[in-house]
């Protein structure tokens, strides 16, 4: 062990190695954390007993999946039309479910019940594939998380602005164009995240996931309800079998937009990045991979049903005019209080989802620093601050400063590049293939020792190649979108 076990075990059960020094300190920790009534306090790897269940795992996944991605689905389906749109969605949901069930088998190396645990996605790649692939995986994963953090900052500021605008429209009876700047809202979001990012550990965020899951259902249901209402008012389903018509956009634009729509849908499904971290919170027996497969099935069914409803209803309501963001693109003005509730729910959800995605990155950097400078007082020392009614809060200076810098950088970049919708499309597209398809497939082949050129091996490789093509095409579409945005761009000057 490279640092004092008693002090760090409680808040850093992410990072303990597996050797406990002495019985005395083990005893200390169990008292320090939760006095458990005579039951064993530790799992087979010497960490505190995991307590996650099928339902907490499903809630974590649903929180991670039903993000702001759901709001751009009506736009994505509008680009692809009534046939290709739903078909592409089913395809992505199937691929996500299939590869995430392959990934659940990689939580333990070797035997599914007793093999060595991998705590993070990178650990799994390290112990099963090793070599240069590990660095590659880390790079893709952490740049992806950084991008998601920026995307969430922008999306939440857009929702806050939408609240301000919809109230302003309401008060002025639609006379005032109500231009609002996004910067103050991004700053508010950034300050909130700085405070929340000081919560030390993933497991301590269980309530956050439940709140976020409830919020995402709230705004998605409101979007769905408004879509159904609008369809009823129109008296018809808008939209066509082949998507947006060539009169509305040029042929090349239609091609780029269809590609971009693929990126938007891929982004809406990407959660494999944090799958292993979620699996690491599940108690056993039964084997964690069994519970996780069920959780993946439940959450993919729930999210796909939801996505289909929201996306299709939004398209049916607006047809070719479907906005890029259903609740802020001002497809709906009234009832204004309902749209405000939905946007508040989006903001609360994004505040939570930001933490759920960023915690693995925080933990990774802190663990690395701890290993590199184990003697450094600034990095390893924790100060106990008494909190009335709770356990004392452990303040660590390095954590305080590094997490603050991270949040500040995501906020500043969001203010510089507010059309991150497209940039997130690029990140969604590029992250989709390596993290959701390539690594799970490669690890599964290595773990199960599937022989080269066997039927199973060929099928898995074909799946991987097909997804690579989709990713590249979607990235190209999003890059084209960014190029168009840059033509009319002024830094720090976004108002809607």
């Amino acid at each position: 062990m490279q640092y004092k076990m008693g002090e760090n075990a409680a808040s850093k059960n992410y990072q303990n190695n597996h050797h406990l020094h002495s019985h005395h300190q083990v005893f200390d920790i169990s008292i320090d954390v939760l006095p458990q009534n005579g039951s064993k306090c530790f799992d087979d790897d010497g960490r505190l007993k995991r307590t996650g269940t099928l339902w907490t795992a499903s809630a974590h996944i649903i929180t991670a999946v039903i993000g702001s991605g759901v709001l751009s689905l009506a736009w994505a389906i509008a680009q692809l039309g009534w046939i290709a749109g739903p078909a592409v969605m089913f395809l992505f949901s199937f691929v996500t479910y299939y590869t995430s069930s392959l990934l659940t088998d990689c939580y333990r190396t070797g035997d599914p019940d007793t093999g060595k645990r991998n705590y993070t996605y990178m650990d799994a790649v390290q112990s099963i594939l090793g070599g240069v692939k590990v660095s590659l995986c880390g790079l893709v994963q952490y740049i992806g998380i950084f991008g998601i953090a920026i995307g969430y900052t922008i999306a939440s500021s857009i929702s806050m602005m939408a609240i301000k605008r919809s109230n302003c429209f309401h008060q002025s009876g639609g006379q005032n164009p109500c231009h609002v700047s996004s910067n103050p809202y991004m700053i508010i979001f950034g300050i909130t995240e700085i405070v929340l990012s000081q919560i030390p550990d993933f497991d301590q965020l269980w309530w956050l996931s439940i709140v976020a899951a409830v919020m995402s259902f709230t705004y998605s249901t409101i979007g769905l309800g408004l879509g159904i209402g609008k369809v009823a008012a129109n008296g018809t389903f808008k939209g066509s079998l082949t998507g947006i018509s060539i009169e509305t956009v040029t042929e090349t634009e239609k091609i780029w937009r269809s590609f971009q729509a693929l990126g938007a849908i891929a982004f809406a499904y990407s959660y494999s990045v944090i799958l292993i971290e979620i699996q690491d919170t599940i108690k056993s027996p039964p084997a964690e991979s069994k519970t996780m497969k069920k959780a993946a099935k439940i959450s993919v069914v729930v999210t796909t049903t939801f996505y289909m409803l929201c996306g299709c209803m939004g398209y049916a309501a607006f047809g070719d005019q479907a906005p890029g963001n259903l609740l802020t693109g001002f497809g709906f003005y009234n009832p204004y209080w309902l749209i405000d509730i939905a946007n508040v729910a989006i903001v609360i959800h994004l505040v939570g989802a930001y933490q759920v995605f960023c915690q693995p990155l925080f933990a990774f950097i802190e663990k690395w620093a701890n290993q590199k400078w184990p003697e450094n007082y600034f990095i390893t020392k924790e100060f106990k601050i008494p909190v009335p009614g709770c356990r004392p809060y452990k303040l660590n200076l390095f954590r305080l400063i590094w997490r603050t810098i991270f949040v500040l950088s995501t906020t500043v970049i969001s203010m510089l590049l507010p059309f991150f919708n497209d940039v997130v499309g690029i990140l969604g597209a590029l992250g989709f293939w390596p993290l959701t398809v390539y690594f799970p497939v490669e690890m599964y082949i290595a773990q199960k020792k599937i022989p080269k050129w066997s039927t199973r091996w060929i099928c898995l490789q074909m799946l991987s190649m097909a997804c690579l093509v989709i990713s590249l095409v979607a990235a190209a579409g999003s890059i084209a979108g960014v190029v168009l945005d840059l033509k009319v761009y002024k830094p720090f000057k976004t108002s809607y």
Side-chain angles (χ1 to χ4, degrees):
M1 280 309 283
Q2 294 172 327
Y3 41 76
K4 283 191 286 196
M5 191 69 199
E7 269 181 22
N8 287 44
S11 70
K12 287 268 181 292
N13 54 6
Y14 244 104
Q15 292 162 19
N16 304 347
N17 307 341
H18 320 310
H19 311 293
L20 300 168
H21 282 315
S22 66
H23 296 296
H24 165 65
Q25 279 173 315
V26 176
F27 181 68
D28 271 358
I29 304 162
S30 53
I31 293 296
D32 193 24
V33 184
L34 284 173
Q36 294 186 354
N37 318 329
S39 69
K40 285 194 180 139
C41 298
F42 300 98
D43 271 329
D44 56 6
D45 57 343
R47 298 200 175 187
L48 287 171
K49 258 220 171 326
R50 292 162 175 78
T51 53
T53 59
L54 175 61
W55 301 110
T56 59
S58 303
H60 269 311
I61 298 177
I62 291 169
T63 311
V65 181
I66 302 189
S68 47
V70 66
L71 300 169
S72 59
L73 290 173
W75 179 86
I77 291 185
Q79 312 313 310
L80 298 165
W82 279 118
I83 298 174
V88 167
M89 263 171 145
F90 273 124
L91 178 79
F92 275 114
S93 66
F94 172 74
V95 169
T96 304
Y97 170 65
Y98 181 68
T99 56
S100 57
S101 68
L102 297 183
L103 194 56
T104 55
D105 288 331
C106 302
Y107 171 60
R108 285 178 182 270
T109 309
D111 186 280
D113 294 323
T114 56
K116 180 186 164 299
R117 294 169 187 262
N118 298 309
Y119 302 114
T120 61
Y121 196 97
M122 261 177 81
D123 287 348
V125 176
Q126 171 101 48
S127 68
I128 298 169
L129 299 174
V132 73
K133 287 180 180 168
V134 184
S135 323
L136 204 70
C137 162
L139 196 67
V140 174
Q141 186 178 353
Y142 295 131
I143 289 175
I145 290 176
F146 188 68
I148 288 169
I150 295 169
Y152 281 0
T153 307
I154 290 165
S156 69
S157 72
I158 291 173
S159 282
M160 292 187 236
M161 287 154 64
I163 297 171
K164 181 100 177 86
R165 284 188 73 192
S166 94
N167 294 343
C168 159
F169 269 124
H170 184 71
Q171 283 154 5
S172 69
Q175 305 305 310
N176 182 345
C178 300
H179 290 302
V180 185
S181 164
S182 61
N183 291 343
Y185 299 101
M186 289 186 186
I187 292 166
I188 292 168
F189 184 81
I191 291 169
T192 314
E193 292 304 346
I194 288 174
V195 174
L196 289 179
S197 66
Q198 299 309 318
I199 297 176
D201 226 337
F202 198 63
D203 313 292
Q204 294 164 8
L205 300 179
W206 61 268
W207 54 271
L208 195 73
S209 260
I210 292 166
V211 170
V214 171
M215 289 303 149
S216 53
F217 278 124
T218 306
Y219 66 73
S220 312
T221 313
I222 292 176
L224 175 62
L226 290 169
I228 294 171
K230 181 107 174 160
V231 170
N234 293 342
T236 64
F237 273 69
K238 289 190 174 179
S240 65
L241 294 179
T242 53
I244 198 161
S245 55
I246 299 296
E247 295 88 68
T248 321
V249 290
T250 63
E251 275 186 45
T252 42
E253 259 189 325
K254 178 163 169 68
I255 293 169
W256 286 128
R257 280 169 156 233
S258 303
F259 289 172
Q260 236 172 312
L262 290 176
I265 296 174
F267 181 66
Y269 273 111
S270 57
Y271 74 94
S272 54
V273 186
I274 55 171
L275 187 98
I276 294 210
E277 277 90 346
I278 294 173
Q279 193 165 339
D280 191 38
T281 63
I282 296 177
K283 63 180 176 202
S284 59
E288 300 86 354
S289 60
K290 287 192 180 125
T291 312
M292 200 63 189
K293 280 192 176 74
K294 282 186 199 148
K297 191 177 284 175
I298 292 170
S299 42
V300 168
V301 168
V302 170
T303 46
T304 306
T305 314
F306 223 68
Y307 279 5
M308 291 304 257
L309 285 168
C310 294
C312 294
M313 274 318 192
Y315 183 36
F318 295 110
D320 284 356
Q321 265 58 60
N325 180 334
L326 201 55
L327 291 170
T328 58
F330 285 94
F332 304 113
Y333 287 104
N334 283 319
Y336 82 104
W337 53 271
L338 190 62
I339 293 161
D340 287 354
I341 291 173
N343 280 310
V344 167
I346 292 175
V347 174
I348 295 173
H349 174 224
L350 290 176
V351 165
Y354 184 101
Q355 292 302 325
V356 170
F357 271 101
C358 293
Q359 289 278 338
L361 174 56
F362 293 158
F364 171 73
I365 298 287
E366 284 150 25
K367 180 179 174 183
W368 172 80
N370 260 320
Q371 284 168 349
K372 198 159 173 60
W373 299 286
E375 301 304 314
N376 190 315
Y377 186 81
F378 169 70
I379 289 174
T380 53
K381 175 74 179 146
E382 293 199 333
F383 302 93
K384 286 191 176 177
I385 297 173
V387 180
C390 298
R391 283 181 304 196
Y393 175 73
K394 295 188 169 65
L395 175 76
N396 171 299
L397 292 176
F398 175 65
R399 182 167 65 219
L400 178 75
I401 291 169
W402 131 249
R403 294 187 181 193
T404 306
I405 290 171
F406 176 88
V407 179
L408 284 176
S409 62
T410 60
T411 312
V412 170
I413 294 175
S414 306
M415 287 155 72
L416 273 171
L417 299 177
F419 44 80
F420 222 75
N421 229 340
D422 293 320
V423 183
V424 164
I426 297 176
L427 290 162
L430 294 178
F432 173 74
W433 179 70
L435 297 172
T436 309
V437 187
Y438 175 73
F439 286 118
V441 164
E442 291 298 307
M443 286 196 284
Y444 184 76
I445 288 174
Q447 178 93 310
K448 297 281 186 235
K449 303 189 173 50
I450 295 170
K452 260 195 178 175
W453 306 112
S454 61
T455 320
R456 187 114 202 241
W457 187 88
I458 291 173
C459 291
L460 285 167
Q461 294 296 357
M462 278 165 63
L463 170 76
S464 185
M465 283 299 103
C467 291
L468 173 61
V469 171
I470 293 172
S471 277
L472 292 173
V473 156
S478 300
I479 290 168
V482 172
V483 171
L484 290 173
D485 283 333
L486 280 170
K487 289 180 181 166
V488 290
Y489 166 60
K490 295 188 187 70
F492 291 116
K493 290 268 186 295
T494 10
S495 58
Y496 287 87

